[in-house]
Amino acid sequence: MQKRDCAHATGMNTTTAIAPSSSVSADAAYMPGMNTSAIAAIARDALRSSTSTPNYDRQHERVNAVAVEIARTALELSGGRSTYSYEGNGIRLSYTGDTTNTEGEFAYGPTIREYLVDGEYKTTAPLPSQSGTGLLNLALDHVKDCKDPIVEAKRYITWLLLDPSLELVDYTMRVSTAWHGLMQEPHKMRMALSVRLAEVIEQKILENPGGGLDLKDLLEGTNVVGYMVKTLDGSIFNLMKRIKINEDKHRTTFDTPNDEGDEGYRRPEVKLTPDQLPQSAENAAIENEADTRAFAIMELIGAEEDAVAAAKAENKAAEERGEQKTAGVRSRRSAEKSAIVARTFLAQTQLPAPVIPDVDTRKQLIKQLDEDDTLAVASFMEWGNILGAELGEPNDAISDAWLNIWATYTLDNIETMIEALNGRWDRLTKVVEGALALPEPMSAATKKRIRDIMVRTCDGDDLAALLTAAIKAYDEHLQTGETEAWTLAAETFLDAPGAPALAEPAQLALAFDAAAAALVY
């Protein structure tokens, strides 16, 4: 097993916190130079397998139990000290010492953050948040080399809470956004909120007591998951408000002022160059946002998923009131998912789509690909050889049907594809699978959905039989490639009085496609 720094492991990346997976990387429990420590052993053994479970309460309790054991071990190693000071990775944290509050009771003193600028530590903010709100004060990368047991414990607890299978950010948003009306916000703004909430997890756990988590509190009964859910829930409304303000003012992520109320630093006194900025765990979250074509597709998919979530919530509320469901909701089929993967990859690389052959040829190629999943790559390489790319030995066994799907690709396209694949040739097979994917035969529910949506465009109720016949003919056309019966049924429907104002069968086909693809109807 490869050993990696915990700060760069899968489970500590806010990209995975935003897009949870169903498994945990066991590698993430390891840290160079610390693999044999008692704290590392606790986290490693607890997370050797996935923490994922359908029961969120049980899962949260399990994570909290591991955090308590980590805190107990760390406090034993530190002699009861729960604070720390540290210098390294371009940051210096100086704990000013214990103090008393206004009632004369014990209180933790503040921690001074300083950042290295031109060889001198200054109280400048290191990096604006990529969420479009606030500044990143303290992150995993800042303290990744610190050997203090308190810091090591805080790092592992942070890893626990950012574990993708825990889905803590998504869980918090699901249980609290209804109160703030955030379900209707654009997907990109909800994504920005997710990034910022992941930053809050890092900062609040890593900070010294007084501003962040006190390990002693865990031994006294504080539930670390409950503590963080409450902290995130209390932050959501103001964070989204700040994100919306910045969006309205067209601010970029790198010219955003710090949040009001954020303390412990001043506005930057010196502009930091990229090599002076500490790398942060959330950097990968939106690093490809400039690729607007691919991002637009993902934003559309996210909006559809948000609409599904909202419709399910409305249906549940209606059932609780003893009423009928207000909307029909369906899941995306496997063929649709494959097509989405292909479209997103092609949009991201700005490459042309493969040529889609007729239905019979597509069925033949799909069957061949099921039997030999190397054909997509072999045909691509042979097409490159034909154009002079010299991708390997000529392969005369590749049929013209396979070569024809690459007919739109030039030498430049071939080179761009190879660079984009970066050695992952299986991605090319996924693109071809998505491009060739045949629509699944319409179920009775799909035909009813199309009919229910289309009748709203008709003027009168006497078109039901003609509409049903047109839908049936269109389904057969998609599966067989036959056009005569479909064209006749479509024209008969469109010529009838009260039919929607569509000029030709191709326009009716597009309307049917849109209705069939509707996730909420």
Side-chain angles (χ1 to χ4, degrees):
M1 181 179 294
Q2 181 185 6
K3 297 175 181 177
R4 298 182 296 175
D5 189 314
C6 191
H8 295 286
T10 301
M12 303 189 74
N13 184 311
T14 54
T15 304
T16 56
I18 293 169
S21 66
S22 61
S23 63
V24 179
S25 169
D27 294 14
Y30 289 79
M31 285 183 172
M34 298 162 61
N35 299 338
T36 59
S37 73
I39 296 173
I42 295 171
R44 182 175 64 248
D45 292 341
L47 299 173
R48 191 179 300 278
S49 60
S50 174
T51 58
S52 180
T53 170
N55 188 321
Y56 266 92
D57 290 337
R58 187 182 306 163
Q59 183 182 17
H60 290 174
E61 288 301 324
R62 178 183 176 185
V63 170
N64 185 69
V66 176
V68 170
E69 187 62 23
I70 289 174
R72 179 180 292 107
T73 303
L75 291 171
E76 289 175 357
L77 294 172
S78 70
R81 169 180 54 83
S82 61
T83 60
Y84 69 95
S85 298
Y86 175 64
E87 179 175 329
N89 298 312
I91 186 173
R92 182 165 68 190
L93 302 171
S94 302
Y95 180 63
T96 59
D98 300 337
T99 181
T100 56
N101 59 22
T102 54
E103 286 77 34
E105 299 173 341
F106 171 84
Y108 290 108
T111 301
I112 299 175
R113 296 186 190 89
E114 295 172 288
Y115 301 95
L116 191 61
V117 181
D118 296 332
E120 181 181 358
Y121 280 101
K122 296 183 178 181
T123 54
T124 57
L127 188 68
S129 163
Q130 293 202 47
S131 68
T133 175
L135 295 165
L136 186 62
N137 289 334
L138 188 58
L140 288 158
D141 285 348
H142 294 163
V143 295
K144 62 183 180 183
D145 297 323
C146 182
K147 300 299 191 295
D148 190 303
I150 298 301
V151 178
E152 185 185 5
K154 284 175 172 281
R155 271 203 303 260
Y156 275 115
I157 292 174
T158 304
W159 188 90
L160 283 165
L161 297 180
L162 289 178
D163 176 7
S165 74
L166 185 62
E167 299 183 358
L168 188 58
V169 169
D170 285 350
Y171 173 83
T172 304
M173 291 177 67
R174 283 199 298 270
V175 299
S176 67
T177 51
W179 296 101
H180 304 307
L182 300 182
M183 293 300 296
Q184 305 305 317
E185 296 300 338
H187 178 66
K188 66 177 181 179
M189 296 177 71
R190 287 168 56 81
M191 180 178 179
L193 177 62
S194 296
V195 174
R196 186 54 169 166
L197 292 176
E199 292 174 1
V200 170
I201 292 176
E202 290 184 75
Q203 181 168 315
K204 301 307 287 185
I205 299 297
L206 294 173
E207 278 186 332
N208 268 323
L213 176 70
D214 186 355
L215 298 182
K216 294 179 179 178
D217 287 344
L218 298 186
L219 303 187
E220 296 176 1
T222 295
N223 185 301
V224 69
V225 178
Y227 160 84
M228 189 48 61
V229 169
K230 184 177 180 179
T231 300
L232 296 180
D233 184 51
S235 306
I236 284 179
F237 183 79
N238 288 333
L239 288 178
M240 180 56 81
K241 181 179 178 181
R242 171 64 67 179
I243 291 171
K244 293 171 70 173
I245 289 173
N246 293 339
E247 180 76 8
D248 292 341
K249 294 182 178 180
H250 304 289
R251 288 194 175 114
T252 68
T253 58
F254 289 101
D255 59 15
T256 303
N258 56 306
D259 286 346
E260 295 178 3
D262 277 352
E263 299 177 351
Y265 57 84
R266 300 196 301 273
R267 294 288 292 156
E269 301 171 348
V270 180
K271 182 175 178 59
L272 303 180
T273 60
D275 60 337
Q276 293 170 322
L277 296 175
Q279 183 185 7
S280 182
E282 92 292 352
N283 279 355
I286 320 179
E287 66 178 356
N288 293 320
E289 187 173 352
D291 195 342
T292 54
R293 297 176 72 237
F295 190 78
I297 291 176
M298 298 311 298
E299 185 175 17
L300 175 61
I301 295 170
E304 291 176 347
E305 292 172 347
D306 289 346
V308 168
K312 287 182 177 179
E314 292 172 1
N315 286 344
K316 183 177 180 180
E319 286 183 325
E320 291 175 348
R321 294 192 300 267
E323 302 171 359
Q324 290 186 338
K325 294 181 179 180
T326 58
V329 182
R330 77 171 185 88
S331 300
R332 194 175 277 117
R333 293 190 173 92
S334 59
E336 293 174 308
K337 293 177 182 177
S338 296
I340 287 171
V341 170
R343 287 170 51 204
T344 304
F345 179 85
L346 294 171
Q348 192 173 25
T349 55
Q350 300 190 30
L351 287 168
V355 177
I356 302 176
D358 60 76
V359 172
D360 289 339
T361 304
R362 286 165 71 187
K363 288 181 177 179
Q364 177 187 0
L365 297 183
I366 291 171
K367 181 179 179 181
Q368 292 174 2
L369 192 59
D370 289 340
E371 296 172 351
D372 183 359
D373 60 6
T374 67
L375 283 172
V377 176
S379 63
F380 174 81
M381 297 184 75
E382 182 61 15
W383 179 253
N385 288 336
I386 292 174
L387 297 182
E390 297 183 359
L391 299 182
E393 292 294 326
N395 189 347
D396 296 334
I398 301 299
S399 67
D400 289 342
W402 274 106
L403 293 176
N404 287 340
I405 70 174
W406 303 110
T408 57
Y409 273 61
T410 65
L411 267 177
D412 289 342
N413 296 148
I414 295 288
E415 294 174 356
T416 300
M417 175 67 84
I418 293 173
E419 183 179 356
L421 293 174
N422 194 26
R424 290 287 304 278
W425 291 98
D426 58 305
R427 294 174 179 173
L428 184 64
T429 300
K430 293 294 184 184
V431 170
V432 174
E433 286 177 345
L436 296 179
L438 286 166
E440 299 179 16
M442 291 183 188
S443 63
T446 301
K447 293 177 180 177
K448 181 179 183 301
R449 176 168 71 252
I450 298 175
R451 188 165 54 249
D452 290 347
I453 292 176
M454 290 300 300
V455 294
R456 303 170 192 170
T457 67
C458 299
D459 185 12
D461 298 330
D462 53 351
L463 293 175
L466 294 178
L467 178 58
T468 299
I471 295 171
K472 180 176 182 293
Y474 184 57
D475 182 32
E476 294 174 354
H477 162 68
L478 292 177
Q479 302 305 313
T480 65
E482 185 280 331
T483 59
E484 185 175 351
W486 151 242
T487 302
L488 177 61
E491 290 177 344
T492 302
F493 170 70
L494 292 176
D495 290 342
L502 301 174
E504 56 187 14
Q507 293 181 351
L508 181 61
L510 291 175
F512 284 176
D513 288 342
L519 298 179
V520 179
Y521 53 96

